[in-house]
Amino acid sequence: MEAHDSKQVLVIMPAWNEAESVGNTVREVLSMGRAYDVLVVNDGSTDSTADSASEAGATVLNLPFNLGVGGAMRAGFKYAQRLNYRRVIQVDADGQHDPRSIEEVLAGLEHADISIGARFADKGDYKVSGPRKWAMQFLAKVISGLAKTRLTDVTSGFRAGNERAIAQYLDHYPAEYLGDTIDSLVVAIRSGCTVTQVPVAMRPRQGGTPSHNPLKAAVYLGRSVFALLFALTRKRSETPAALLSVQGAS
């Protein structure tokens, strides 16, 4: 497989009331010159998110009500499987994920099934403090042990997956926000998927309302640890290879 055949890449962009930023984010991705296909999963927005995304050149998948990031991503993975995309990458609609880093994160799939755009890997100046910092450090240490590789940012949503990862995510990507990135990663690792990370720089939100505020940050540690413990108790899924065999025979 040609490593940088971007015609086989689907950019999945979950969006809930992101009319202020989603259009510019889609245009930035499409301006990279890589011919990525962009799918905006409109997660029950009550503003003009769908129109802004469509006018910018994205395909829009409208969900009837808000499912959360996990539910939106599962819809995106299903779309990717049905249209036979070989690689997918999540890019946030708020503009924090720099489209110029997409190709770098995708390059990690040359030697792993899942590639994470890591905010705390000696690139950029993204910082967190307090409970969120403690949670991220604890989770990174535990999941690094599971993955048998050093990971510094296991809660990052800026991540790419190959066909093996897509097959795994279809059955085991949880809908719960704050638990989706942790649970999906742990189950994927325990099912045989390999993981790597690529240093990236994050940007400030380009519009909309941040998902974290001081109150949410205060409970982040407990919820994240709970998500990890829950993921560790889940049964190991079918091997991704078996899932791909079923997919290929259908």
Side-chain angles (χ1 to χ4, degrees):
M1 175 177 100
E2 187 175 343
H4 299 286
D5 184 1
S6 55
K7 290 184 179 180
Q8 298 183 45
V9 172
L10 179 67
V11 175
I12 303 175
M13 199 175 294
W16 179 55
N17 292 338
E18 295 285 3
E20 189 176 341
S21 58
V22 67
N24 286 336
T25 305
V26 170
R27 280 186 283 271
E28 274 195 276
V29 172
L30 294 177
S31 71
M32 291 296 100
R34 299 287 182 176
Y36 303 126
D37 292 336
V38 180
L39 175 72
V40 171
V41 183
N42 178 32
D43 190 20
S45 299
T46 56
D47 63 3
S48 59
T49 290
D51 291 339
S52 297
S54 180
E55 290 168 4
T59 297
V60 179
L61 177 62
N62 290 303
L63 302 184
F65 47 83
N66 181 248
L67 295 179
V69 176
M73 287 305 298
R74 286 194 71 156
F77 294 135
K78 190 66 176 178
Y79 179 95
Q81 184 200 49
R82 286 184 175 178
L83 274 69
N84 298 313
Y85 284 94
R86 300 176 70 177
R87 294 180 292 161
V88 298
I89 183 167
Q90 177 182 345
V91 173
D92 283 355
D94 61 16
Q96 288 192 87
H97 297 162
D98 191 337
R100 292 172 296 182
S101 298
I102 289 176
E103 197 68 7
E104 298 173 49
V105 179
L106 288 169
L109 298 180
E110 295 174 18
H111 50 83
D113 300 310
I114 297 169
S115 177
I116 301 172
R119 296 165 288 187
F120 313 113
D122 304 321
K123 188 172 184 179
D125 56 3
Y126 186 89
K127 289 182 174 62
V128 294
S129 59
R132 288 193 69 201
K133 180 179 180 179
W134 306 332
M136 289 176 175
Q137 290 176 336
F138 171 75
L139 294 167
K141 182 175 182 179
V142 174
I143 296 177
S144 292
L146 292 174
K148 295 181 173 57
T149 188
R150 183 173 180 267
L151 301 172
T152 61
D153 190 11
V154 294
T155 63
S156 171
F158 194 13
R159 61 175 67 176
N162 61 15
E163 289 174 290
R164 195 177 190 190
I166 294 170
Q168 160 65 31
Y169 284 155
L170 281 171
D171 285 338
H172 299 283
Y173 202 95
E176 297 81 9
Y177 181 60
L178 292 182
D180 55 347
T181 53
I182 298 301
D183 196 351
S184 63
L185 187 58
V186 171
V187 175
I189 291 169
R190 295 180 70 213
S191 300
C193 289
T194 55
V195 183
T196 191
Q197 70 174 26
V198 177
V200 298
M202 290 289 177
R203 308 185 298 188
R205 284 183 65 93
Q206 307 300 297
T209 303
S211 58
H212 285 288
N213 58 36
L215 178 60
K216 288 183 179 179
V219 301
Y220 187 91
L221 177 60
R223 292 188 64 177
S224 298
V225 172
F226 177 79
L228 174 62
L229 295 175
F230 177 76
L232 291 173
T233 62
R234 292 180 63 168
K235 292 182 179 179
R236 190 170 306 192
S237 69
E238 293 181 68
T239 62
L243 289 170
L244 285 173
S245 297
V246 173
Q247 176 185 337
S250 59

